[in-house]
Amino acid sequence: MRGATASGSRTPTSTFRRRTADDARVAIDSGVVIGVSDTAHDFTRSGNRVVSYRVSGEIGSGHRFSPGPNFEVTIPVQFAASPQPDARREVALSARQAGVTGIHVGNFAGIGVQAVANTLHDKLAVIFNRPIALGSVPAPAGLLSFKVMQDGGLTLYFRPDVAGRFAAGAAQTMLNNIRI
């Protein structure tokens, strides 16, 4: 008998829009998954993959005839479950920055580029200064495993019983509405 599952995949575009909502000058053009690592491993168990996202856009200059700098940010993110799922305990799901964030800022005149890069770096440091809670799975749900798939999607595996199938439906709703 196969366990119940819930799967989801998100790009960070809505996250950046929400986190920069207080600055109307920020325009996000796109957010995409640009890479997914292999699974991490050691002698006792494997670890989740790292998903790299690229977010690009423009920051308005505030002047009608002066274009603002455009930016491209690359963020490696690792998703984790704590404690490791065993179908008996409550499990917290989180995301954290997993490596160096790449920031590229440019415009044709080079005006304001360094200030924009510094501001983006500072905002990202605030967002990722600690793991971001994605949600928790209660013990009765029977979470067996939390995996990052090759396409960057997240999959949760539950016990193959009524509680597990119900939990998979609730987890699917959570993944569909995930907010980083």
Side-chain angles (χ1 to χ4, degrees):
M1 184 151 133
R2 216 171 150 232
T5 63
S7 301
S9 180
R10 287 281 181 212
T11 61
T13 305
S14 60
T15 301
F16 270 71
R17 284 195 175 115
R18 190 176 61 261
R19 300 252 183 195
T20 59
D22 58 339
D23 191 344
R25 299 176 312 139
V26 177
I28 305 295
D29 296 330
S30 68
V32 296
V33 172
I34 59 167
V36 180
S37 73
D38 289 335
T39 57
H41 59 278
D42 65 23
F43 185 71
T44 60
R45 65 181 176 91
S46 64
N48 272 331
R49 296 173 166 93
V50 173
V51 181
S52 294
Y53 297 96
R54 180 175 296 140
V55 177
S56 60
E58 182 178 345
I59 298 182
S61 68
H63 304 289
R64 184 175 183 172
F65 298 107
S66 176
N70 57 356
F71 66 87
E72 189 173 273
V73 177
T74 303
I75 307 166
V77 177
Q78 187 168 42
F79 297 90
S82 180
Q84 287 297 315
D86 64 3
R88 296 185 311 259
R89 298 179 286 183
E90 180 173 347
V91 177
L93 307 178
S94 63
R96 67 172 183 81
Q97 183 177 340
V100 178
T101 300
I103 300 173
H104 174 75
V105 179
N107 71 6
F108 74 94
I111 300 170
V113 169
Q114 190 59 48
V116 170
N118 290 342
T119 300
L120 283 170
H121 179 272
D122 294 346
K123 286 198 179 269
L124 289 170
V126 169
I127 292 171
F128 288 104
N129 66 352
R130 62 186 195 298
I132 298 167
L134 302 176
S136 64
V137 179
L143 182 63
L144 295 168
S145 181
F146 173 58
K147 299 289 182 204
V148 176
M149 307 312 283
Q150 284 183 317
D151 66 355
L154 307 177
T155 301
L156 285 75
Y157 295 92
F158 295 89
R159 284 189 317 243
D161 58 15
V162 174
R165 285 190 293 279
F166 178 77
Q172 186 66 58
T173 300
M174 179 190 80
L175 289 172
N176 290 344
N177 297 304
I178 203 165
R179 299 286 183 245
I180 297 177

